[in-house]
């Protein structure tokens, strides 16, 4: 299974990617998570990426494509992968097509998750994450059992810098103008699967599994 998850910020890509990772035993490859780690470690990549991320803009393609190329070459990604946040524009999609072709791999399915903007703003402004283990909480729908503390590793929870309302709007605009057009690219290749992101998390996973198995069977 080589899966791409498309969907606006807050659509639940990361949550579904983690579930698929467990079910299929293939890694979730998230450039957003990789960049946040680089920012926290103050690496040259992190320092370069931070200014774009803080504004809700895309980090330049050259940086992202190289980073994802290296990640896709790692051993654990050879049996399959879940791309969560890449590609994000037509140039990245072309670069991905090229790198997969060169390594003799093909995309199994591209899942587009749709959620209305009002719901996204609510979800992201109430989202809290653990900077240590990556666990994600929602203050209303999925609060940590002890306020402000990660239930999995005990680290203090934080709000991502880019989960503030004005930045959420910007990230949504970037999604609509640059990423959404990719659904046509993949629909034309017969790879697109649509998923209703307003459903409860577990129902979404069940539907996703059914649709992915169907795609894998007919591929
Ligand atoms: P995410 O965690 O996927 O919401 O990504 C957080 C931020 O990381 C984005 O707003 C971008 O600044 C940057 N980013 C993540 N993935 C990409 C990508 N494929 N291309 C460019 N920038 C990205």
């Amino acid at each position: 299974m080589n899966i791409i998850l498309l969907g606006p910020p807050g659509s639940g890509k990361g949550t579904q990617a983690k579930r698929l990772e467990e079910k299929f035993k293939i890694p979730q490859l998230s450039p957003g998570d990789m960049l946040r780690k680089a920012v926290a470690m103050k690496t040259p990549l992190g320092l370069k990426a931070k200014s774009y991320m803080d504004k809700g803009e895309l980090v330049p393609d050259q940086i992202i494509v190289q980073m994802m190329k290296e990640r896709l070459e790692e051993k654990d990604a050879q049996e399959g992968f879940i791309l969560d946040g890449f590609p994000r524009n037509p140039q990245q999609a072309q670069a991905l097509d090229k790198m997969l072709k060169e390594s003799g791999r093909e995309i199994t399915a591209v899942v587009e998750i749709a959620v209305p903007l009002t719901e996204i703003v609510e979800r992201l402004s109430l989202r809290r994450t653990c900077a240590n283990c990556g666990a994600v909480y929602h203050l209303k729908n999925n609060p940590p059992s002890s306020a402000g503390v990660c239930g999995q590793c005990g680290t203090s929870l934080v709000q991502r810098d880019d989960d503030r309302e004005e930045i959420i709007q910007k990230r949504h605009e970037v999604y609509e103008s640059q990423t959404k057009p990719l659904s046509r690219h993949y629909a034309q290749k017969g790879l697109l699967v649509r998923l209703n992101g307003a459903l409860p998390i577990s129902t979404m996973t069940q539907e996703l599994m059914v649709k992915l198995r169907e795609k894998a069977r007919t591929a």
Side-chain angles (χ1 to χ4, degrees), residues 107-120:
I107 296 163
T108 315
V110 178
V111 183
E112 184 185 42
I113 309 178
V115 190
L117 178 60
T118 44
E119 168 86 15
I120 285 172

Side-chain angles (χ1 to χ4, degrees), residues 54-211:
D54 284 348
K55 285 185 274 185
E57 292 171 1
L58 294 185
V59 173
D61 291 341
Q62 213 191 343
I63 297 178
I64 296 291
V65 167
Q66 184 56 31
M67 183 177 87
M68 296 312 287
K69 188 170 191 297
E70 286 170 15
R71 184 64 188 89
L72 280 162
E73 281 166 5
E74 282 177 36
K75 193 162 172 269
D76 67 338
Q78 302 313 308
E79 299 301 315
F81 53 78
I82 305 144
L83 285 170
D84 162 18
F86 179 80
R88 250 165 146 119
N89 63 25
Q91 293 75 17
Q92 293 183 12
Q94 266 178 16
L96 175 66
D97 285 348
K98 187 163 169 264
M99 61 179 98
L100 291 180
K101 199 169 169 205
E102 281 168 4
S103 57
R105 292 182 279 184
E106 279 182 359
I107 296 163
T108 315
V110 178
V111 183
E112 184 185 42
I113 309 178
V115 190
L117 178 60
T118 44
E119 168 86 15
I120 285 172
V121 174
E122 215 246 20
R123 281 188 192 178
L124 293 185
S125 50
L126 294 178
R127 175 163 77 176
R128 296 295 179 273
T129 54
C130 173
N132 181 45
C133 74
V136 180
Y137 299 86
H138 183 277
L139 294 183
K140 213 162 75 186
N141 303 336
N142 176 30
S145 45
S146 168
V149 179
C150 177
Q152 292 185 27
C153 72
T155 307
S156 295
L157 297 177
V158 290
Q159 179 172 32
R160 274 174 49 175
D161 287 341
D162 58 354
D163 277 349
R164 284 174 291 121
E165 193 164 337
E166 64 285 12
I167 309 295
I168 295 172
Q169 301 277 358
K170 173 69 188 173
R171 289 162 67 205
H172 191 78
E173 275 167 38
V174 168
Y175 178 79
E176 287 290 322
S177 63
Q178 303 196 43
T179 313
K180 193 141 196 315
L182 295 185
S183 62
R184 242 185 94 203
H185 171 76
Y186 290 118
Q188 279 165 355
K189 290 176 173 247
L191 294 171
L192 197 72
V193 164
R194 290 197 170 84
L195 198 64
N196 176 2
L199 294 172
I201 293 173
S202 294
T203 315
M204 257 173 90
T205 310
Q206 279 164 13
E207 289 214 356
L208 181 54
M209 296 298 288
V210 171
K211 290 182 175 181

